[in-house]
Amino acid sequence: MKELEKLLKSYIPMTETAFYILLALTEPRHGYGITKFVAELTENRIKLGSGTVYGTLTKMQKDGLIEIYDDTDKKIVYNITDTGRQVLRTEVQRIKLLYGNAVSQEDKI
């Protein structure tokens, strides 16, 4: 449990890059697939470079948030781990609270 607490402190709040990479990996994907998914989901607002993607993937794999799903076809395919899902769920809950607070105060903005 202490390991999860340490990861939560390290990753929450998440950068958009980390958030979208983890979100992309709720289905197995390779690096280019992640980049394409994020660009489509964000309507090209976020275009991840390969250095950013692979640097983040390396850190997340080291931290146990993702794992290699398949590497038999010249492309390494990654997938989120149970720990990664816990971290992502925590961030989603944080964002929901943030959004709810903003909406409740919207008339004052």
Side-chain angles (χ1 to χ4, degrees), residues 55-94:
T56 303
L57 289 172
T58 299
K59 181 178 181 342
M60 287 181 169
Q61 185 180 1
K62 181 178 149 270
D63 290 339
L65 301 186
I66 65 169
E67 61 191 358
I68 293 176
Y69 179 79
D70 183 28
D71 69 347
T72 56
D73 201 22
K74 290 186 181 180
K75 292 181 182 177
I76 299 174
V77 177
Y78 300 90
N79 198 34
I80 194 168
T81 62
D82 289 340
T83 301
R85 283 186 194 281
Q86 287 180 288
V87 171
L88 183 58
R89 280 190 205 112
T90 301
E91 179 65 354
V92 167
Q93 290 306 312
R94 187 191 73 81

mmCIF file of all heavy atoms in Angstrom, residues 55-94:
data_model
loop_
_atom_site.group_PDB
_atom_site.id
_atom_site.type_symbol
_atom_site.label_atom_id
_atom_site.label_comp_id
_atom_site.label_asym_id
_atom_site.label_seq_id
_atom_site.Cartn_x
_atom_site.Cartn_y
_atom_site.Cartn_z
ATOM 1 N N GLY A 55 9.819 8.455 -23.598
ATOM 2 C CA GLY A 55 10.358 8.818 -22.290
ATOM 3 C C GLY A 55 9.344 8.559 -21.184
ATOM 4 O O GLY A 55 9.673 8.008 -20.133
ATOM 5 N N THR A 56 8.092 8.929 -21.449
ATOM 6 C CA THR A 56 7.025 8.708 -20.472
ATOM 7 C C THR A 56 6.740 7.226 -20.304
ATOM 8 O O THR A 56 6.544 6.736 -19.187
ATOM 9 C CB THR A 56 5.750 9.471 -20.889
ATOM 10 O OG1 THR A 56 6.072 10.867 -21.037
ATOM 11 C CG2 THR A 56 4.645 9.320 -19.862
ATOM 12 N N LEU A 57 6.713 6.485 -21.404
ATOM 13 C CA LEU A 57 6.483 5.044 -21.334
ATOM 14 C C LEU A 57 7.559 4.354 -20.494
ATOM 15 O O LEU A 57 7.258 3.484 -19.680
ATOM 16 C CB LEU A 57 6.442 4.427 -22.732
ATOM 17 C CG LEU A 57 5.224 4.753 -23.584
ATOM 18 C CD1 LEU A 57 5.418 4.228 -25.007
ATOM 19 C CD2 LEU A 57 3.951 4.199 -22.977
ATOM 20 N N THR A 58 8.798 4.754 -20.687
ATOM 21 C CA THR A 58 9.906 4.163 -19.930
ATOM 22 C C THR A 58 9.725 4.410 -18.433
ATOM 23 O O THR A 58 9.865 3.493 -17.620
ATOM 24 C CB THR A 58 11.250 4.748 -20.413
ATOM 25 O OG1 THR A 58 11.415 4.416 -21.792
ATOM 26 C CG2 THR A 58 12.417 4.202 -19.617
ATOM 27 N N LYS A 59 9.391 5.652 -18.063
ATOM 28 C CA LYS A 59 9.187 5.978 -16.646
ATOM 29 C C LYS A 59 7.995 5.213 -16.082
ATOM 30 O O LYS A 59 8.077 4.643 -14.993
ATOM 31 C CB LYS A 59 8.978 7.483 -16.476
ATOM 32 C CG LYS A 59 8.777 7.887 -15.014
ATOM 33 C CD LYS A 59 8.623 9.372 -14.876
ATOM 34 C CE LYS A 59 8.448 9.876 -13.467
ATOM 35 N NZ LYS A 59 8.053 8.988 -12.439
ATOM 36 N N MET A 60 6.906 5.186 -16.826
ATOM 37 C CA MET A 60 5.705 4.492 -16.339
ATOM 38 C C MET A 60 5.935 2.992 -16.210
ATOM 39 O O MET A 60 5.430 2.364 -15.274
ATOM 40 C CB MET A 60 4.515 4.762 -17.269
ATOM 41 C CG MET A 60 3.961 6.144 -17.159
ATOM 42 S SD MET A 60 2.551 6.340 -18.261
ATOM 43 C CE MET A 60 1.908 7.892 -17.680
ATOM 44 N N GLN A 61 6.703 2.432 -17.122
ATOM 45 C CA GLN A 61 6.995 1.001 -17.028
ATOM 46 C C GLN A 61 7.865 0.731 -15.801
ATOM 47 O O GLN A 61 7.619 -0.205 -15.048
ATOM 48 C CB GLN A 61 7.682 0.517 -18.298
ATOM 49 C CG GLN A 61 7.901 -0.986 -18.298
ATOM 50 C CD GLN A 61 8.584 -1.482 -19.565
ATOM 51 O OE1 GLN A 61 8.923 -0.706 -20.451
ATOM 52 N NE2 GLN A 61 8.784 -2.779 -19.642
ATOM 53 N N LYS A 62 8.853 1.572 -15.573
ATOM 54 C CA LYS A 62 9.725 1.435 -14.403
ATOM 55 C C LYS A 62 8.921 1.545 -13.108
ATOM 56 O O LYS A 62 9.174 0.830 -12.141
ATOM 57 C CB LYS A 62 10.810 2.515 -14.454
ATOM 58 C CG LYS A 62 11.805 2.479 -13.328
ATOM 59 C CD LYS A 62 12.851 3.578 -13.522
ATOM 60 C CE LYS A 62 13.361 4.081 -12.216
ATOM 61 N NZ LYS A 62 12.650 5.195 -11.623
ATOM 62 N N ASP A 63 7.915 2.415 -13.108
ATOM 63 C CA ASP A 63 7.080 2.632 -11.923
ATOM 64 C C ASP A 63 5.955 1.609 -11.782
ATOM 65 O O ASP A 63 5.212 1.635 -10.803
ATOM 66 C CB ASP A 63 6.479 4.044 -11.949
ATOM 67 C CG ASP A 63 7.527 5.130 -11.729
ATOM 68 O OD1 ASP A 63 8.604 4.821 -11.172
ATOM 69 O OD2 ASP A 63 7.259 6.283 -12.110
ATOM 70 N N GLY A 64 5.796 0.742 -12.771
ATOM 71 C CA GLY A 64 4.789 -0.315 -12.681
ATOM 72 C C GLY A 64 3.381 0.091 -13.091
ATOM 73 O O GLY A 64 2.426 -0.625 -12.805
ATOM 74 N N LEU A 65 3.251 1.247 -13.764
ATOM 75 C CA LEU A 65 1.928 1.691 -14.201
ATOM 76 C C LEU A 65 1.511 1.030 -15.511
ATOM 77 O O LEU A 65 0.314 0.915 -15.796
ATOM 78 C CB LEU A 65 1.890 3.212 -14.387
ATOM 79 C CG LEU A 65 2.223 4.061 -13.165
ATOM 80 C CD1 LEU A 65 2.010 5.528 -13.476
ATOM 81 C CD2 LEU A 65 1.414 3.649 -11.960
ATOM 82 N N ILE A 66 2.505 0.654 -16.298
ATOM 83 C CA ILE A 66 2.241 -0.020 -17.564
ATOM 84 C C ILE A 66 3.179 -1.212 -17.684
ATOM 85 O O ILE A 66 4.168 -1.310 -16.944
ATOM 86 C CB ILE A 66 2.412 0.924 -18.786
ATOM 87 C CG1 ILE A 66 3.863 1.381 -18.914
ATOM 88 C CG2 ILE A 66 1.447 2.099 -18.698
ATOM 89 C CD1 ILE A 66 4.182 2.097 -20.215
ATOM 90 N N GLU A 67 2.860 -2.084 -18.620
ATOM 91 C CA GLU A 67 3.712 -3.242 -18.869
ATOM 92 C C GLU A 67 3.744 -3.513 -20.368
ATOM 93 O O GLU A 67 2.902 -3.016 -21.125
ATOM 94 C CB GLU A 67 3.171 -4.464 -18.135
ATOM 95 C CG GLU A 67 1.774 -4.867 -18.585
ATOM 96 C CD GLU A 67 1.137 -5.910 -17.688
ATOM 97 O OE1 GLU A 67 1.773 -6.360 -16.737
ATOM 98 O OE2 GLU A 67 -0.033 -6.251 -17.956
ATOM 99 N N ILE A 68 4.724 -4.286 -20.775
ATOM 100 C CA ILE A 68 4.776 -4.699 -22.174
ATOM 101 C C ILE A 68 3.747 -5.799 -22.360
ATOM 102 O O ILE A 68 3.741 -6.791 -21.645
ATOM 103 C CB ILE A 68 6.188 -5.168 -22.569
ATOM 104 C CG1 ILE A 68 7.152 -3.981 -22.529
ATOM 105 C CG2 ILE A 68 6.160 -5.812 -23.952
ATOM 106 C CD1 ILE A 68 8.591 -4.327 -22.806
ATOM 107 N N TYR A 69 2.868 -5.588 -23.299
ATOM 108 C CA TYR A 69 1.792 -6.528 -23.606
ATOM 109 C C TYR A 69 2.252 -7.527 -24.666
ATOM 110 O O TYR A 69 1.960 -8.705 -24.597
ATOM 111 C CB TYR A 69 0.577 -5.732 -24.089
ATOM 112 C CG TYR A 69 -0.620 -6.551 -24.467
ATOM 113 C CD1 TYR A 69 -1.472 -7.055 -23.497
ATOM 114 C CD2 TYR A 69 -0.919 -6.793 -25.809
ATOM 115 C CE1 TYR A 69 -2.584 -7.791 -23.841
ATOM 116 C CE2 TYR A 69 -2.031 -7.527 -26.163
ATOM 117 C CZ TYR A 69 -2.861 -8.033 -25.182
ATOM 118 O OH TYR A 69 -3.965 -8.757 -25.529
ATOM 119 N N ASP A 70 3.014 -7.003 -25.645
ATOM 120 C CA ASP A 70 3.502 -7.850 -26.743
ATOM 121 C C ASP A 70 4.680 -7.151 -27.404
ATOM 122 O O ASP A 70 4.655 -5.943 -27.610
ATOM 123 C CB ASP A 70 2.374 -8.061 -27.763
ATOM 124 C CG ASP A 70 2.773 -8.994 -28.908
ATOM 125 O OD1 ASP A 70 3.636 -9.862 -28.703
ATOM 126 O OD2 ASP A 70 2.206 -8.844 -30.005
ATOM 127 N N ASP A 71 5.710 -7.903 -27.727
ATOM 128 C CA ASP A 71 6.830 -7.309 -28.462
ATOM 129 C C ASP A 71 7.367 -8.264 -29.519
ATOM 130 O O ASP A 71 8.553 -8.290 -29.803
ATOM 131 C CB ASP A 71 7.932 -6.842 -27.515
ATOM 132 C CG ASP A 71 8.659 -7.982 -26.839
ATOM 133 O OD1 ASP A 71 8.181 -9.123 -26.896
ATOM 134 O OD2 ASP A 71 9.728 -7.721 -26.253
ATOM 135 N N THR A 72 6.473 -9.005 -30.128
ATOM 136 C CA THR A 72 6.893 -10.008 -31.105
ATOM 137 C C THR A 72 6.854 -9.516 -32.549
ATOM 138 O O THR A 72 7.340 -10.191 -33.434
ATOM 139 C CB THR A 72 5.994 -11.262 -31.011
ATOM 140 O OG1 THR A 72 4.637 -10.878 -31.190
ATOM 141 C CG2 THR A 72 6.154 -11.938 -29.654
ATOM 142 N N ASP A 73 6.296 -8.353 -32.801
ATOM 143 C CA ASP A 73 6.071 -7.915 -34.177
ATOM 144 C C ASP A 73 6.780 -6.604 -34.509
ATOM 145 O O ASP A 73 6.201 -5.717 -35.132
ATOM 146 C CB ASP A 73 4.553 -7.779 -34.413
ATOM 147 C CG ASP A 73 4.185 -7.836 -35.881
ATOM 148 O OD1 ASP A 73 4.973 -8.374 -36.665
ATOM 149 O OD2 ASP A 73 3.090 -7.341 -36.212
ATOM 150 N N LYS A 74 8.021 -6.439 -34.058
ATOM 151 C CA LYS A 74 8.844 -5.255 -34.296
ATOM 152 C C LYS A 74 8.335 -3.995 -33.606
ATOM 153 O O LYS A 74 9.007 -2.987 -33.579
ATOM 154 C CB LYS A 74 9.005 -4.966 -35.798
ATOM 155 C CG LYS A 74 9.856 -5.965 -36.533
ATOM 156 C CD LYS A 74 10.083 -5.513 -37.966
ATOM 157 C CE LYS A 74 10.925 -6.521 -38.715
ATOM 158 N NZ LYS A 74 11.170 -6.124 -40.082
ATOM 159 N N LYS A 75 7.129 -4.028 -33.088
ATOM 160 C CA LYS A 75 6.579 -2.893 -32.356
ATOM 161 C C LYS A 75 6.243 -3.377 -30.944
ATOM 162 O O LYS A 75 5.595 -4.399 -30.777
ATOM 163 C CB LYS A 75 5.302 -2.376 -33.020
ATOM 164 C CG LYS A 75 5.539 -1.737 -34.362
ATOM 165 C CD LYS A 75 4.239 -1.233 -34.934
ATOM 166 C CE LYS A 75 4.484 -0.637 -36.313
ATOM 167 N NZ LYS A 75 3.248 -0.206 -36.942
ATOM 168 N N ILE A 76 6.691 -2.607 -29.970
ATOM 169 C CA ILE A 76 6.371 -2.959 -28.590
ATOM 170 C C ILE A 76 4.975 -2.427 -28.282
ATOM 171 O O ILE A 76 4.692 -1.244 -28.474
ATOM 172 C CB ILE A 76 7.397 -2.377 -27.608
ATOM 173 C CG1 ILE A 76 8.797 -2.936 -27.908
ATOM 174 C CG2 ILE A 76 6.994 -2.686 -26.169
ATOM 175 C CD1 ILE A 76 9.901 -2.318 -27.094
ATOM 176 N N VAL A 77 4.109 -3.309 -27.828
ATOM 177 C CA VAL A 77 2.744 -2.943 -27.459
ATOM 178 C C VAL A 77 2.666 -2.902 -25.935
ATOM 179 O O VAL A 77 3.098 -3.840 -25.260
ATOM 180 C CB VAL A 77 1.721 -3.950 -28.039
ATOM 181 C CG1 VAL A 77 0.308 -3.609 -27.599
ATOM 182 C CG2 VAL A 77 1.827 -4.006 -29.565
ATOM 183 N N TYR A 78 2.138 -1.797 -25.419
ATOM 184 C CA TYR A 78 2.043 -1.585 -23.979
ATOM 185 C C TYR A 78 0.591 -1.686 -23.525
ATOM 186 O O TYR A 78 -0.335 -1.504 -24.309
ATOM 187 C CB TYR A 78 2.567 -0.188 -23.616
ATOM 188 C CG TYR A 78 4.004 0.037 -23.994
ATOM 189 C CD1 TYR A 78 4.343 0.541 -25.244
ATOM 190 C CD2 TYR A 78 5.029 -0.252 -23.097
ATOM 191 C CE1 TYR A 78 5.663 0.754 -25.601
ATOM 192 C CE2 TYR A 78 6.359 -0.040 -23.444
ATOM 193 C CZ TYR A 78 6.672 0.467 -24.702
ATOM 194 O OH TYR A 78 7.972 0.677 -25.047
ATOM 195 N N ASN A 79 0.408 -1.938 -22.234
ATOM 196 C CA ASN A 79 -0.918 -2.009 -21.638
ATOM 197 C C ASN A 79 -0.828 -1.487 -20.207
ATOM 198 O O ASN A 79 0.206 -1.634 -19.552
ATOM 199 C CB ASN A 79 -1.425 -3.456 -21.654
ATOM 200 C CG ASN A 79 -2.911 -3.561 -21.457
ATOM 201 O OD1 ASN A 79 -3.677 -2.699 -21.888
ATOM 202 N ND2 ASN A 79 -3.345 -4.626 -20.812
ATOM 203 N N ILE A 80 -1.892 -0.910 -19.716
ATOM 204 C CA ILE A 80 -1.943 -0.397 -18.345
ATOM 205 C C ILE A 80 -2.015 -1.576 -17.360
ATOM 206 O O ILE A 80 -2.616 -2.603 -17.669
ATOM 207 C CB ILE A 80 -3.141 0.569 -18.186
ATOM 208 C CG1 ILE A 80 -3.041 1.368 -16.900
ATOM 209 C CG2 ILE A 80 -4.460 -0.179 -18.292
ATOM 210 C CD1 ILE A 80 -4.033 2.530 -16.832
ATOM 211 N N THR A 81 -1.392 -1.418 -16.216
ATOM 212 C CA THR A 81 -1.458 -2.433 -15.151
ATOM 213 C C THR A 81 -2.589 -2.069 -14.183
ATOM 214 O O THR A 81 -3.167 -0.975 -14.261
ATOM 215 C CB THR A 81 -0.141 -2.488 -14.354
ATOM 216 O OG1 THR A 81 0.062 -1.217 -13.718
ATOM 217 C CG2 THR A 81 1.050 -2.824 -15.248
ATOM 218 N N ASP A 82 -2.861 -2.966 -13.246
ATOM 219 C CA ASP A 82 -3.867 -2.660 -12.218
ATOM 220 C C ASP A 82 -3.457 -1.427 -11.410
ATOM 221 O O ASP A 82 -4.289 -0.585 -11.081
ATOM 222 C CB ASP A 82 -4.066 -3.854 -11.285
ATOM 223 C CG ASP A 82 -4.782 -5.016 -11.967
ATOM 224 O OD1 ASP A 82 -5.447 -4.787 -13.007
ATOM 225 O OD2 ASP A 82 -4.682 -6.147 -11.475
ATOM 226 N N THR A 83 -2.180 -1.311 -11.119
ATOM 227 C CA THR A 83 -1.685 -0.137 -10.399
ATOM 228 C C THR A 83 -1.889 1.121 -11.224
ATOM 229 O O THR A 83 -2.327 2.155 -10.710
ATOM 230 C CB THR A 83 -0.187 -0.306 -10.039
ATOM 231 O OG1 THR A 83 -0.038 -1.469 -9.234
ATOM 232 C CG2 THR A 83 0.352 0.908 -9.310
ATOM 233 N N GLY A 84 -1.596 1.036 -12.511
ATOM 234 C CA GLY A 84 -1.816 2.168 -13.408
ATOM 235 C C GLY A 84 -3.279 2.579 -13.447
ATOM 236 O O GLY A 84 -3.609 3.769 -13.466
ATOM 237 N N ARG A 85 -4.170 1.584 -13.441
ATOM 238 C CA ARG A 85 -5.616 1.889 -13.426
ATOM 239 C C ARG A 85 -6.004 2.619 -12.144
ATOM 240 O O ARG A 85 -6.803 3.548 -12.168
ATOM 241 C CB ARG A 85 -6.438 0.610 -13.551
ATOM 242 C CG ARG A 85 -6.491 0.062 -14.948
ATOM 243 C CD ARG A 85 -7.449 -1.136 -15.036
ATOM 244 N NE ARG A 85 -7.233 -1.838 -16.274
ATOM 245 C CZ ARG A 85 -7.704 -1.441 -17.460
ATOM 246 N NH1 ARG A 85 -8.416 -0.347 -17.547
ATOM 247 N NH2 ARG A 85 -7.447 -2.137 -18.547
ATOM 248 N N GLN A 86 -5.431 2.204 -11.024
ATOM 249 C CA GLN A 86 -5.728 2.868 -9.745
ATOM 250 C C GLN A 86 -5.275 4.324 -9.781
ATOM 251 O O GLN A 86 -5.999 5.218 -9.332
ATOM 252 C CB GLN A 86 -5.059 2.139 -8.588
ATOM 253 C CG GLN A 86 -5.715 0.816 -8.242
ATOM 254 C CD GLN A 86 -4.986 0.143 -7.086
ATOM 255 O OE1 GLN A 86 -3.881 -0.359 -7.250
ATOM 256 N NE2 GLN A 86 -5.605 0.163 -5.927
ATOM 257 N N VAL A 87 -4.083 4.553 -10.307
ATOM 258 C CA VAL A 87 -3.561 5.916 -10.402
ATOM 259 C C VAL A 87 -4.433 6.736 -11.360
ATOM 260 O O VAL A 87 -4.803 7.877 -11.054
ATOM 261 C CB VAL A 87 -2.083 5.908 -10.845
ATOM 262 C CG1 VAL A 87 -1.588 7.309 -11.163
ATOM 263 C CG2 VAL A 87 -1.207 5.268 -9.771
ATOM 264 N N LEU A 88 -4.807 6.169 -12.493
ATOM 265 C CA LEU A 88 -5.650 6.871 -13.463
ATOM 266 C C LEU A 88 -7.024 7.176 -12.864
ATOM 267 O O LEU A 88 -7.542 8.283 -13.019
ATOM 268 C CB LEU A 88 -5.785 6.050 -14.744
ATOM 269 C CG LEU A 88 -6.578 6.690 -15.884
ATOM 270 C CD1 LEU A 88 -5.974 8.030 -16.306
ATOM 271 C CD2 LEU A 88 -6.640 5.733 -17.079
ATOM 272 N N ARG A 89 -7.619 6.223 -12.175
ATOM 273 C CA ARG A 89 -8.932 6.458 -11.536
ATOM 274 C C ARG A 89 -8.840 7.603 -10.511
ATOM 275 O O ARG A 89 -9.751 8.434 -10.411
ATOM 276 C CB ARG A 89 -9.429 5.196 -10.838
ATOM 277 C CG ARG A 89 -10.054 4.208 -11.767
ATOM 278 C CD ARG A 89 -10.740 3.084 -10.972
ATOM 279 N NE ARG A 89 -10.820 1.901 -11.793
ATOM 280 C CZ ARG A 89 -10.159 0.775 -11.592
ATOM 281 N NH1 ARG A 89 -9.365 0.646 -10.559
ATOM 282 N NH2 ARG A 89 -10.292 -0.239 -12.409
ATOM 283 N N THR A 90 -7.765 7.626 -9.749
ATOM 284 C CA THR A 90 -7.578 8.687 -8.759
ATOM 285 C C THR A 90 -7.508 10.045 -9.449
ATOM 286 O O THR A 90 -8.115 11.015 -8.993
ATOM 287 C CB THR A 90 -6.302 8.438 -7.924
ATOM 288 O OG1 THR A 90 -6.433 7.174 -7.262
ATOM 289 C CG2 THR A 90 -6.067 9.538 -6.903
ATOM 290 N N GLU A 91 -6.793 10.107 -10.557
ATOM 291 C CA GLU A 91 -6.688 11.365 -11.302
ATOM 292 C C GLU A 91 -8.031 11.760 -11.910
ATOM 293 O O GLU A 91 -8.406 12.932 -11.892
ATOM 294 C CB GLU A 91 -5.612 11.262 -12.392
ATOM 295 C CG GLU A 91 -5.453 12.521 -13.216
ATOM 296 C CD GLU A 91 -4.956 13.746 -12.447
ATOM 297 O OE1 GLU A 91 -4.807 13.703 -11.204
ATOM 298 O OE2 GLU A 91 -4.721 14.784 -13.093
ATOM 299 N N VAL A 92 -8.781 10.810 -12.417
ATOM 300 C CA VAL A 92 -10.101 11.101 -12.982
ATOM 301 C C VAL A 92 -11.015 11.669 -11.891
ATOM 302 O O VAL A 92 -11.740 12.647 -12.115
ATOM 303 C CB VAL A 92 -10.714 9.858 -13.655
ATOM 304 C CG1 VAL A 92 -12.187 10.066 -13.962
ATOM 305 C CG2 VAL A 92 -9.949 9.522 -14.934
ATOM 306 N N GLN A 93 -10.974 11.092 -10.698
ATOM 307 C CA GLN A 93 -11.787 11.607 -9.592
ATOM 308 C C GLN A 93 -11.371 13.033 -9.226
ATOM 309 O O GLN A 93 -12.217 13.888 -8.947
ATOM 310 C CB GLN A 93 -11.680 10.686 -8.369
ATOM 311 C CG GLN A 93 -12.359 9.351 -8.553
ATOM 312 C CD GLN A 93 -13.810 9.478 -8.978
ATOM 313 O OE1 GLN A 93 -14.584 10.237 -8.403
ATOM 314 N NE2 GLN A 93 -14.192 8.752 -10.016
ATOM 315 N N ARG A 94 -10.077 13.304 -9.241
ATOM 316 C CA ARG A 94 -9.576 14.649 -8.944
ATOM 317 C C ARG A 94 -10.083 15.639 -9.990
ATOM 318 O O ARG A 94 -10.549 16.737 -9.664
ATOM 319 C CB ARG A 94 -8.046 14.650 -8.904
ATOM 320 C CG ARG A 94 -7.441 15.974 -8.445
ATOM 321 C CD ARG A 94 -5.940 16.022 -8.670
ATOM 322 N NE ARG A 94 -5.605 16.167 -10.064
ATOM 323 C CZ ARG A 94 -5.619 17.328 -10.738
ATOM 324 N NH1 ARG A 94 -5.958 18.444 -10.134
ATOM 325 N NH2 ARG A 94 -5.293 17.371 -12.014
#
